Coordinates of all heavy atoms in Angstrom, one line a residue:
M885 N 49.1 -54.2 -31.2 CA 48.5 -53.1 -30.4 C 49.0 -51.8 -31.2 O 50.2 -51.7 -31.6 CB 49.1 -53.1 -29.0 CG 48.5 -52.0 -28.2 SD 49.0 -52.2 -26.5 CE 50.7 -51.7 -26.6
L886 N 48.1 -50.8 -31.3 CA 48.5 -49.6 -31.9 C 49.5 -48.8 -31.0 O 49.4 -48.7 -29.8 CB 47.3 -48.7 -32.1 CG 46.3 -49.3 -33.1 CD1 45.0 -48.4 -33.1 CD2 46.8 -49.4 -34.5
A887 N 50.5 -48.1 -31.7 CA 51.4 -47.3 -30.9 C 50.7 -46.0 -30.5 O 51.1 -45.4 -29.5 CB 52.6 -46.9 -31.8
L888 N 49.7 -45.5 -31.3 CA 49.0 -44.3 -31.0 C 50.0 -43.1 -31.0 O 50.3 -42.5 -30.0 CB 48.3 -44.3 -29.6 CG 47.2 -45.3 -29.5 CD1 46.7 -45.3 -28.0 CD2 46.1 -45.1 -30.5
R889 N 50.5 -42.9 -32.2 CA 51.5 -41.8 -32.4 C 50.8 -40.5 -32.0 O 49.6 -40.2 -32.3 CB 51.9 -41.7 -33.8 CG 52.8 -43.0 -34.1 CD 53.2 -42.9 -35.6 NE 54.0 -44.1 -35.9 CZ 54.3 -44.5 -37.2 NH1 54.1 -43.7 -38.2 NH2 55.0 -45.7 -37.4
P890 N 51.6 -39.5 -31.5 CA 51.0 -38.3 -30.9 C 50.8 -37.2 -31.8 O 50.3 -36.1 -31.5 CB 52.1 -37.9 -29.9 CG 53.3 -38.4 -30.5 CD 53.0 -39.6 -31.2
N891 N 51.1 -37.3 -33.2 CA 50.9 -36.2 -34.1 C 50.7 -36.6 -35.5 O 50.8 -37.7 -35.9 CB 52.2 -35.3 -34.0 CG 53.4 -36.1 -34.6 OD1 53.7 -37.2 -34.3 ND2 54.1 -35.5 -35.5
C892 N 50.3 -35.6 -36.3 CA 50.0 -35.8 -37.7 C 51.4 -35.8 -38.4 O 52.2 -34.9 -38.2 CB 49.1 -34.7 -38.2 SG 49.0 -34.7 -40.1
E893 N 51.7 -36.7 -39.3 CA 52.9 -36.8 -40.1 C 53.0 -35.5 -41.1 O 54.1 -35.2 -41.4 CB 53.1 -38.1 -40.8 CG 53.6 -39.2 -40.0 CD 54.0 -40.4 -40.8 OE1 54.6 -40.2 -41.9 OE2 53.7 -41.6 -40.4
C894 N 51.9 -35.0 -41.4 CA 52.0 -34.0 -42.4 C 52.2 -32.6 -41.8 O 53.1 -31.8 -42.1 CB 50.7 -33.9 -43.3 SG 50.6 -35.2 -44.5
C895 N 51.3 -32.2 -40.8 CA 51.3 -30.9 -40.3 C 51.7 -30.8 -38.9 O 51.7 -29.7 -38.3 CB 49.8 -30.3 -40.5 SG 48.6 -31.1 -39.4
D896 N 52.0 -32.0 -38.3 CA 52.6 -32.0 -36.9 C 51.5 -31.6 -36.0 O 51.9 -31.2 -34.8 CB 53.8 -31.2 -36.8 CG 54.7 -31.7 -35.6 OD1 54.5 -32.8 -35.2 OD2 55.5 -30.8 -35.0
R897 N 50.2 -31.6 -36.3 CA 49.2 -31.3 -35.3 C 49.2 -32.4 -34.2 O 49.4 -33.5 -34.5 CB 47.9 -31.2 -36.0 CG 46.7 -31.0 -35.1 CD 45.4 -31.1 -35.9 NE 45.4 -30.0 -37.0 CZ 44.3 -29.9 -37.8 NH1 43.3 -30.6 -37.6 NH2 44.3 -29.0 -38.8
D898 N 48.9 -31.9 -33.0 CA 48.8 -33.0 -31.9 C 47.5 -33.8 -32.1 O 46.5 -33.3 -32.4 CB 48.6 -32.3 -30.5 CG 50.0 -31.6 -30.2 OD1 51.0 -32.1 -30.7 OD2 50.0 -30.8 -29.3
L899 N 47.8 -35.1 -32.0 CA 46.6 -36.1 -32.1 C 46.7 -37.0 -30.8 O 47.2 -38.1 -30.9 CB 46.8 -37.0 -33.3 CG 46.6 -36.1 -34.7 CD1 47.0 -37.1 -35.8 CD2 45.1 -35.6 -34.9
P900 N 46.1 -36.5 -29.7 CA 46.1 -37.3 -28.5 C 45.4 -38.6 -28.7 O 44.5 -38.7 -29.6 CB 45.5 -36.4 -27.5 CG 44.7 -35.4 -28.3 CD 45.4 -35.2 -29.6
P901 N 45.6 -39.6 -27.8 CA 44.9 -40.9 -28.0 C 43.5 -40.8 -28.0 O 42.7 -41.7 -28.6 CB 45.4 -41.7 -26.8 CG 46.4 -40.8 -26.0 CD 46.6 -39.5 -26.7
E902 N 42.9 -39.7 -27.4 CA 41.4 -39.7 -27.2 C 40.8 -38.9 -28.4 O 39.7 -38.8 -28.6 CB 40.9 -39.0 -25.9 CG 41.3 -37.5 -25.9 CD 42.7 -37.3 -25.3 OE1 43.5 -38.2 -25.3 OE2 43.0 -36.2 -24.9
S903 N 41.7 -38.4 -29.4 CA 41.3 -37.7 -30.5 C 40.4 -38.6 -31.5 O 40.9 -39.7 -31.8 CB 42.5 -37.1 -31.2 OG 42.0 -36.4 -32.4
R904 N 39.4 -38.0 -32.0 CA 38.7 -38.7 -33.0 C 38.9 -38.2 -34.4 O 38.3 -38.4 -35.3 CB 37.1 -38.6 -32.7 CG 36.8 -39.3 -31.5 CD 35.3 -39.2 -31.1 NE 35.0 -39.9 -30.0 CZ 34.6 -41.3 -29.9 NH1 34.7 -41.9 -31.0 NH2 34.4 -41.9 -28.8
D905 N 40.0 -37.3 -34.5 CA 40.5 -36.7 -35.7 C 41.7 -37.4 -36.3 O 42.3 -36.9 -37.2 CB 40.7 -35.2 -35.6 CG 39.4 -34.5 -35.4 OD1 38.4 -34.9 -35.9 OD2 39.4 -33.5 -34.7
A906 N 42.1 -38.5 -35.7 CA 43.3 -39.2 -36.1 C 43.0 -40.3 -37.1 O 42.0 -41.0 -36.9 CB 44.0 -39.8 -34.8
M907 N 43.7 -40.3 -38.2 CA 43.5 -41.3 -39.3 C 44.9 -42.1 -39.4 O 46.0 -41.5 -39.4 CB 43.2 -40.5 -40.5 CG 42.0 -39.6 -40.4 SD 40.4 -40.5 -40.3 CE 40.2 -41.1 -42.0
I908 N 44.7 -43.4 -39.6 CA 45.9 -44.2 -39.8 C 45.8 -45.1 -40.9 O 44.7 -45.4 -41.4 CB 46.2 -45.1 -38.5 CG1 45.0 -46.0 -38.2 CG2 46.5 -44.2 -37.3 CD1 45.3 -47.0 -37.1
C909 N 47.0 -45.7 -41.4 CA 47.0 -46.7 -42.5 C 47.3 -48.0 -41.8 O 47.5 -48.1 -40.6 CB 48.0 -46.4 -43.6 SG 49.7 -46.7 -43.0
T910 N 47.5 -49.0 -42.5 CA 47.7 -50.4 -42.0 C 49.1 -50.4 -41.2 O 49.3 -51.2 -40.4 CB 47.6 -51.5 -43.0 OG1 47.7 -52.7 -42.3 CG2 48.7 -51.3 -44.1
F911 N 50.0 -49.5 -41.6 CA 51.3 -49.4 -40.9 C 51.3 -48.4 -39.9 O 52.4 -48.2 -39.3 CB 52.4 -49.2 -42.0 CG 52.6 -50.2 -43.1 CD1 52.1 -50.0 -44.4 CD2 53.1 -51.4 -42.7 CE1 52.3 -51.0 -45.3 CE2 53.2 -52.5 -43.6 CZ 52.8 -52.2 -44.9
E912 N 50.2 -47.8 -39.6 CA 49.9 -46.8 -38.6 C 50.8 -45.5 -39.0 O 51.1 -44.8 -38.0 CB 50.3 -47.3 -37.2 CG 49.4 -46.7 -36.1 CD 49.7 -47.1 -34.7 OE1 50.2 -48.2 -34.5 OE2 49.4 -46.3 -33.8
C913 N 51.0 -45.2 -40.2 CA 51.2 -43.9 -40.5 C 50.1 -43.0 -40.0 O 48.9 -43.5 -40.3 CB 51.4 -43.7 -42.0 SG 52.6 -44.9 -42.7
T914 N 50.3 -41.9 -39.4 CA 49.2 -41.2 -38.7 C 49.1 -39.8 -39.2 O 50.0 -39.0 -39.3 CB 49.6 -41.2 -37.1 OG1 49.7 -42.6 -36.7 CG2 48.5 -40.6 -36.4
F915 N 47.8 -39.5 -39.5 CA 47.6 -38.1 -40.0 C 46.2 -37.6 -39.3 O 45.5 -38.3 -38.9 CB 47.3 -38.2 -41.5 CG 48.5 -38.9 -42.2 CD1 48.4 -40.2 -42.6 CD2 49.6 -38.1 -42.6 CE1 49.6 -40.7 -43.2 CE2 50.7 -38.7 -43.2 CZ 50.7 -40.0 -43.5
C916 N 46.2 -36.3 -39.4 CA 44.9 -35.6 -38.9 C 43.8 -35.8 -40.0 O 44.1 -36.0 -41.1 CB 45.0 -34.1 -38.5 SG 45.4 -33.1 -39.9
A917 N 42.6 -35.6 -39.6 CA 41.5 -35.7 -40.4 C 41.5 -34.7 -41.6 O 41.2 -35.1 -42.7 CB 40.2 -35.6 -39.6
D918 N 42.0 -33.5 -41.3 CA 42.0 -32.5 -42.3 C 43.0 -32.9 -43.5 O 42.7 -32.7 -44.6 CB 42.4 -31.2 -41.7 CG 41.3 -30.5 -40.9 OD1 40.2 -31.0 -41.0 OD2 41.6 -29.6 -40.2
C919 N 44.2 -33.4 -43.0 CA 45.2 -33.8 -44.1 C 44.8 -35.0 -44.8 O 44.9 -35.1 -46.0 CB 46.6 -34.0 -43.4 SG 47.4 -32.5 -42.8
A920 N 44.2 -36.0 -44.1 CA 43.7 -37.2 -44.6 C 42.6 -36.9 -45.7 O 42.6 -37.6 -46.8 CB 43.2 -38.2 -43.6
A921 N 41.7 -36.1 -45.4 CA 40.6 -35.9 -46.3 C 40.9 -34.8 -47.3 O 40.3 -34.8 -48.5 CB 39.4 -35.4 -45.5
G922 N 41.9 -34.0 -47.0 CA 42.3 -33.0 -47.9 C 43.4 -33.4 -48.9 O 43.2 -34.1 -49.9
I923 N 44.6 -33.0 -48.5 CA 45.7 -33.2 -49.5 C 46.0 -34.6 -49.8 O 46.5 -35.0 -50.8 CB 47.0 -32.5 -48.9 CG1 48.0 -32.2 -50.0 CG2 47.5 -33.2 -47.7 CD1 49.2 -31.3 -49.6
L924 N 45.7 -35.5 -48.8 CA 46.0 -37.0 -49.1 C 44.9 -37.7 -49.7 O 45.1 -38.8 -50.2 CB 46.3 -37.5 -47.6 CG 47.5 -36.9 -46.9 CD1 47.6 -37.7 -45.6 CD2 48.8 -37.1 -47.7
S925 N 43.7 -37.2 -49.7 CA 42.5 -37.8 -50.5 C 42.3 -39.2 -49.9 O 41.9 -40.1 -50.7 CB 42.7 -37.8 -52.0 OG 42.9 -36.4 -52.5
G926 N 42.6 -39.4 -48.7 CA 42.2 -40.7 -48.0 C 43.2 -41.8 -48.3 O 43.0 -43.0 -47.9
T927 N 44.4 -41.4 -48.9 CA 45.4 -42.4 -49.2 C 46.7 -42.1 -48.5 O 47.2 -40.9 -48.5 CB 45.6 -42.5 -50.7 OG1 44.4 -42.9 -51.3 CG2 46.7 -43.5 -51.0
C928 N 47.4 -43.0 -47.8 CA 48.6 -42.8 -47.2 C 49.6 -42.5 -48.2 O 49.9 -43.2 -49.1 CB 49.0 -44.0 -46.4 SG 50.6 -43.8 -45.6
P929 N 50.4 -41.4 -48.0 CA 51.5 -41.0 -48.9 C 52.7 -41.8 -48.8 O 53.6 -41.7 -49.7 CB 51.7 -39.5 -48.5 CG 51.5 -39.5 -47.0 CD 50.3 -40.4 -46.9
N930 N 52.9 -42.6 -47.8 CA 54.0 -43.4 -47.5 C 53.9 -44.8 -48.3 O 54.8 -45.3 -48.8 CB 54.3 -43.6 -46.1 CG 54.6 -42.2 -45.4 OD1 55.2 -41.3 -45.9 ND2 54.2 -42.1 -44.2
C931 N 52.7 -45.3 -48.1 CA 52.5 -46.7 -48.6 C 51.3 -46.9 -49.5 O 51.0 -48.1 -49.9 CB 52.4 -47.7 -47.3 SG 50.8 -47.4 -46.4
A932 N 50.7 -45.8 -49.7 CA 49.4 -45.8 -50.7 C 48.3 -46.6 -50.1 O 47.4 -47.0 -50.8 CB 49.8 -46.3 -52.1
G933 N 48.4 -46.8 -48.8 CA 47.3 -47.6 -48.2 C 46.1 -46.7 -47.8 O 46.2 -45.5 -47.8
E934 N 45.0 -47.4 -47.4 CA 43.8 -46.7 -47.1 C 44.0 -46.1 -45.7 O 44.4 -46.8 -44.7 CB 42.7 -47.7 -47.1 CG 41.3 -47.1 -46.7 CD 40.2 -48.3 -46.7 OE1 40.5 -49.4 -46.7 OE2 39.0 -48.0 -46.6
L935 N 43.5 -44.9 -45.5 CA 43.4 -44.3 -44.2 C 42.1 -44.4 -43.6 O 41.0 -44.0 -44.2 CB 43.8 -42.7 -44.3 CG 45.3 -42.5 -44.8 CD1 45.5 -41.0 -45.0 CD2 46.2 -43.0 -43.7
V936 N 42.1 -44.9 -42.4 CA 40.8 -45.0 -41.7 C 41.0 -44.4 -40.2 O 42.1 -44.1 -39.8 CB 40.5 -46.5 -41.4 CG1 40.2 -47.1 -42.8 CG2 41.5 -47.3 -40.6
R937 N 39.9 -44.1 -39.6 CA 39.9 -43.4 -38.3 C 40.5 -44.3 -37.3 O 40.2 -45.5 -37.2 CB 38.5 -42.9 -37.8 CG 38.6 -42.0 -36.7 CD 37.1 -41.4 -36.3 NE 36.4 -42.5 -35.6 CZ 36.6 -42.9 -34.3 NH1 37.6 -42.3 -33.6 NH2 35.9 -43.8 -33.8
R938 N 41.4 -43.8 -36.5 CA 42.1 -44.5 -35.4 C 41.1 -44.7 -34.3 O 40.5 -43.8 -33.8 CB 43.3 -43.8 -35.0 CG 44.2 -44.6 -34.0 CD 45.4 -43.8 -33.6 NE 45.1 -42.5 -32.8 CZ 46.0 -41.6 -32.5 NH1 47.2 -41.8 -32.9 NH2 45.6 -40.6 -31.7
P939 N 41.0 -46.0 -33.8 CA 40.1 -46.2 -32.7 C 40.6 -45.5 -31.5 O 41.9 -45.4 -31.3 CB 40.1 -47.8 -32.5 CG 40.8 -48.2 -33.8 CD 41.6 -47.2 -34.3
V940 N 39.7 -45.0 -30.7 CA 40.0 -44.3 -29.4 C 40.3 -45.3 -28.3 O 39.5 -46.3 -28.1 CB 38.9 -43.4 -28.9 CG1 39.2 -42.8 -27.6 CG2 38.8 -42.2 -29.9
R941 N 41.5 -45.2 -27.6 CA 41.7 -46.1 -26.5 C 41.2 -45.5 -25.3 O 41.4 -44.3 -25.0 CB 43.3 -46.3 -26.4 CG 43.7 -47.4 -25.4 CD 45.2 -47.7 -25.4 NE 45.6 -48.2 -26.8 CZ 46.8 -48.5 -27.1 NH1 47.8 -48.3 -26.2 NH2 47.1 -48.9 -28.3
T942 N 40.5 -46.3 -24.5 CA 39.8 -45.8 -23.3 C 41.0 -45.4 -22.3 O 42.1 -46.0 -22.3 CB 39.0 -46.8 -22.7 OG1 39.7 -47.9 -22.3 CG2 37.9 -47.2 -23.7
A943 N 40.6 -44.5 -21.3 CA 41.5 -44.1 -20.2 C 42.0 -45.3 -19.5 O 43.2 -45.3 -19.1 CB 40.8 -43.1 -19.4
A944 N 41.2 -46.3 -19.1 CA 41.6 -47.4 -18.4 C 42.7 -48.2 -19.2 O 43.7 -48.7 -18.6 CB 40.4 -48.3 -18.1
S945 N 42.4 -48.4 -20.5 CA 43.4 -49.1 -21.3 C 44.7 -48.3 -21.4 O 45.8 -48.9 -21.5 CB 42.9 -49.4 -22.7 OG 41.8 -50.3 -22.6
L946 N 44.6 -46.9 -21.5 CA 45.7 -46.1 -21.6 C 46.7 -46.3 -20.4 O 47.9 -46.1 -20.5 CB 45.4 -44.7 -21.8 CG 45.0 -44.3 -23.3 CD1 44.4 -42.9 -23.3 CD2 46.2 -44.4 -24.1
A947 N 46.0 -46.4 -19.3 CA 46.8 -46.5 -18.0 C 47.6 -47.7 -18.1 O 48.8 -47.7 -17.5 CB 45.9 -46.6 -16.9
R948 N 47.2 -48.8 -18.7 CA 47.9 -50.1 -18.8 C 48.8 -50.1 -20.0 O 49.9 -50.7 -20.0 CB 47.0 -51.2 -18.8 CG 46.1 -51.4 -17.6 CD 45.2 -52.6 -17.6 NE 45.8 -53.8 -17.9 CZ 45.3 -55.0 -18.2 NH1 43.9 -55.1 -18.2 NH2 45.9 -56.1 -18.4
H949 N 48.4 -49.4 -21.1 CA 49.2 -49.5 -22.3 C 49.3 -48.0 -22.8 O 48.5 -47.6 -23.7 CB 48.5 -50.3 -23.3 CG 48.3 -51.8 -22.9 ND1 49.2 -52.7 -22.7 CD2 47.1 -52.3 -22.4 CE1 48.7 -53.8 -22.3 NE2 47.4 -53.7 -22.1
P950 N 50.2 -47.2 -22.3 CA 50.4 -45.9 -22.7 C 50.6 -45.6 -24.2 O 51.2 -46.5 -24.8 CB 51.5 -45.3 -21.8 CG 51.7 -46.3 -20.8 CD 51.2 -47.6 -21.3
A951 N 50.1 -44.5 -24.6 CA 50.3 -44.2 -26.0 C 51.8 -43.8 -26.3 O 52.5 -43.3 -25.4 CB 49.4 -43.0 -26.4
S952 N 52.2 -44.0 -27.5 CA 53.6 -43.5 -28.0 C 53.7 -42.0 -27.8 O 52.8 -41.3 -28.0 CB 53.8 -43.9 -29.4 OG 55.0 -43.3 -29.9
T953 N 54.9 -41.6 -27.4 CA 55.3 -40.2 -27.3 C 56.3 -39.8 -28.5 O 56.8 -38.8 -28.4 CB 55.8 -39.8 -26.0 OG1 57.0 -40.6 -25.6 CG2 54.8 -40.0 -24.9
T954 N 56.6 -40.8 -29.3 CA 57.6 -40.5 -30.4 C 56.9 -39.9 -31.5 O 56.1 -40.5 -32.2 CB 58.2 -41.8 -30.8 OG1 58.8 -42.5 -29.7 CG2 59.2 -41.6 -31.9
R955 N 57.2 -38.6 -31.8 CA 56.6 -37.8 -32.9 C 57.3 -38.3 -34.2 O 58.5 -38.3 -34.3 CB 56.8 -36.4 -32.7 CG 56.1 -35.8 -31.4 CD 56.3 -34.4 -31.2 NE 55.3 -33.6 -32.0 CZ 54.1 -33.3 -31.6 NH1 53.7 -33.7 -30.4 NH2 53.3 -32.6 -32.3
V956 N 56.5 -38.5 -35.2 CA 56.9 -38.9 -36.5 C 56.4 -37.9 -37.5 O 55.2 -37.6 -37.5 CB 56.5 -40.3 -36.9 CG1 56.8 -40.7 -38.3 CG2 56.9 -41.4 -36.0
V957 N 57.3 -37.2 -38.2 CA 56.9 -36.2 -39.2 C 57.5 -36.6 -40.6 O 58.7 -37.0 -40.6 CB 57.4 -34.8 -38.9 CG1 57.1 -33.8 -39.9 CG2 56.8 -34.4 -37.5
K958 N 56.6 -36.6 -41.6 CA 57.1 -37.0 -42.9 C 58.1 -36.0 -43.4 O 57.9 -34.9 -43.5 CB 55.9 -37.1 -43.9 CG 56.3 -37.6 -45.3 CD 54.9 -37.8 -46.0 CE 55.2 -38.1 -47.5 NZ 56.2 -39.2 -47.7
A959 N 59.2 -36.6 -44.0 CA 60.3 -35.7 -44.4 C 59.8 -34.9 -45.6 O 59.2 -35.5 -46.6 CB 61.5 -36.6 -44.9
G960 N 60.0 -33.7 -45.6 CA 59.5 -32.8 -46.6 C 58.0 -32.5 -46.7 O 57.5 -31.8 -47.5
G961 N 57.3 -33.0 -45.6 CA 55.9 -32.7 -45.5 C 55.1 -33.4 -46.5 O 55.6 -34.3 -47.2
C962 N 53.8 -33.1 -46.7 CA 52.9 -33.7 -47.6 C 52.4 -32.8 -48.6 O 51.3 -32.9 -49.2 CB 51.8 -34.3 -46.9 SG 52.2 -35.5 -45.5
G963 N 53.2 -31.7 -48.9 CA 52.7 -30.6 -49.7 C 52.5 -31.0 -51.2 O 51.6 -30.4 -51.8
S964 N 53.2 -31.9 -51.6 CA 53.1 -32.2 -53.1 C 53.7 -33.6 -53.4 O 54.6 -34.0 -52.8 CB 53.8 -31.2 -54.0 OG 53.9 -31.6 -55.2
Q965 N 53.0 -34.2 -54.3 CA 53.5 -35.6 -54.8 C 54.8 -35.4 -55.6 O 55.6 -36.4 -55.8 CB 52.5 -36.4 -55.5 CG 51.3 -36.7 -54.7 CD 50.3 -37.5 -55.4 OE1 50.4 -37.6 -56.6 NE2 49.4 -38.0 -54.7
T966 N 55.1 -34.2 -56.1 CA 56.3 -34.0 -56.9 C 57.5 -33.6 -56.0 O 58.6 -33.3 -56.5 CB 56.1 -32.8 -57.9 OG1 55.8 -31.7 -57.2 CG2 55.0 -33.3 -58.9
G967 N 57.3 -33.6 -54.7 CA 58.4 -33.3 -53.8 C 58.6 -31.9 -53.4 O 59.7 -31.5 -52.9
L968 N 57.6 -31.0 -53.7 CA 57.8 -29.7 -53.3 C 58.0 -29.4 -51.7 O 57.2 -30.1 -51.0 CB 56.5 -28.9 -53.7 CG 56.5 -27.3 -53.4 CD1 57.6 -26.6 -54.1 CD2 55.2 -26.8 -53.6
T969 N 59.1 -28.9 -51.4 CA 59.3 -28.7 -50.0 C 59.2 -27.3 -49.4 O 59.2 -27.1 -48.3 CB 60.8 -29.2 -49.6 OG1 61.7 -28.4 -50.4 CG2 60.9 -30.7 -49.9
G970 N 59.0 -26.3 -50.3 CA 58.7 -25.0 -49.9 C 60.0 -24.2 -49.6 O 61.0 -24.5 -49.1
Ligands
ZN1046 ZN1 47.6 -32.9 -40.6
ZN1047 ZN1 51.1 -45.9 -44.6

């Protein structure tokens, strides 16, 4: 079952469970659509896996299986593959 992380690892944007802008890899590294399509070019920066749109969990399912509230942010952000932290 997906944890449904609440934010983008790159820009920390909120990605609620009903969001259709959430993108995940097979390990559920979670990013917003802008970061996934932009700076990440569709590839997870953590595991080099494919990023696909996260399925939306219905309200009924959320009531039984709440989404994660643990925010995960990638150390140093996703600004550069050379490790630029700004
Ligand atoms: Zn983002
Ligand atoms: Zn990943």
Side-chain angles (χ1 to χ4, degrees):
M885 185 176 74
L886 296 174
L888 299 176
R889 293 179 186 171
N891 67 310
C892 171
E893 280 194 35
C894 284
C895 66
D896 201 26
R897 179 185 303 184
D898 286 343
L899 293 171
E902 69 274 16
S903 173
R904 293 181 180 275
D905 291 329
M907 305 289 287
I908 61 172
C909 77
T910 186
F911 296 109
E912 216 183 333
C913 308
T914 304
F915 305 96
C916 70
D918 285 347
C919 289
I923 195 166
L924 301 179
S925 301
T927 301
C928 176
N930 299 326
C931 67
E934 181 183 11
L935 292 174
V936 300
R937 193 178 72 78
R938 187 177 67 188
V940 171
R941 188 173 300 173
T942 63
S945 292
L946 278 170
R948 294 178 58 183
H949 303 287
S952 169
T953 57
T954 303
R955 299 180 82 86
V956 177
V957 179
K958 183 171 169 57
C962 302
S964 168
Q965 292 180 351
T966 58
L968 178 66
T969 56

